[in-house]
Amino acid sequence: MKFVQIIEFETERLEEMQQVLDEAGQRNAGRAGGPTHSTLLKDRDKPHRYLALVEFESFDEAMRNSDDPETTKLAERLNALSVGERVYTNCDVVDMRDLK
């Protein structure tokens, strides 16, 4: 079953965060078991608040990714660019469809 982790965070340094994520994406290109898709949402009502939706093939793949030392380093770098704590929500995908 596909799995999505939603990460809620605030930052005033989004461009720097995106640069860190781009670097990580280049390092992990073609690596098995990592995220398959990501979506970044900006809250229109609360400046500097974002939601990142990160999709994995399964919960197990997500947990293996989470245990990877490179993921830990990435999280530390992103935390340094965040305001306050990040909130994680773990979701099994029950239904996903294209509407167009």
Side-chain angles (χ1 to χ4, degrees):
M1 175 179 289
K2 288 196 182 280
F3 174 81
V4 172
Q5 187 169 66
I6 302 169
I7 307 163
E8 178 183 341
F9 64 94
E10 291 189 29
T11 186
E12 295 177 0
R13 301 167 67 183
L14 184 63
E15 295 80 18
E16 292 173 74
M17 282 186 133
Q18 288 178 308
Q19 182 177 353
V20 169
L21 291 169
D22 288 344
E23 292 169 8
Q26 290 171 3
R27 274 194 314 276
N28 294 324
R31 184 181 130 224
T36 57
H37 296 90
S38 68
T39 302
L40 181 63
L41 307 173
K42 180 177 178 165
D43 189 327
R44 293 185 74 139
D45 299 320
K46 295 180 182 178
H48 311 297
R49 180 175 176 257
Y50 299 87
L51 298 166
L53 286 69
V54 184
E55 182 181 321
F56 295 85
E57 286 298 325
S58 68
F59 173 78
D60 292 337
E61 291 288 331
M63 293 304 100
R64 276 192 285 281
N65 183 72
S66 182
D67 290 338
D68 185 316
E70 289 299 318
T71 300
T72 301
K73 290 177 191 174
L74 173 64
E76 289 169 355
R77 289 180 70 190
L78 294 174
N79 281 337
L81 297 170
S82 297
V83 175
E85 290 190 37
R86 296 170 1 135
V87 176
Y88 293 83
T89 303
N90 297 315
C91 304
D92 291 323
V93 177
V94 175
D95 184 43
M96 182 183 290
R97 41 180 108 183
D98 292 325
L99 298 176
K100 273 193 165 187

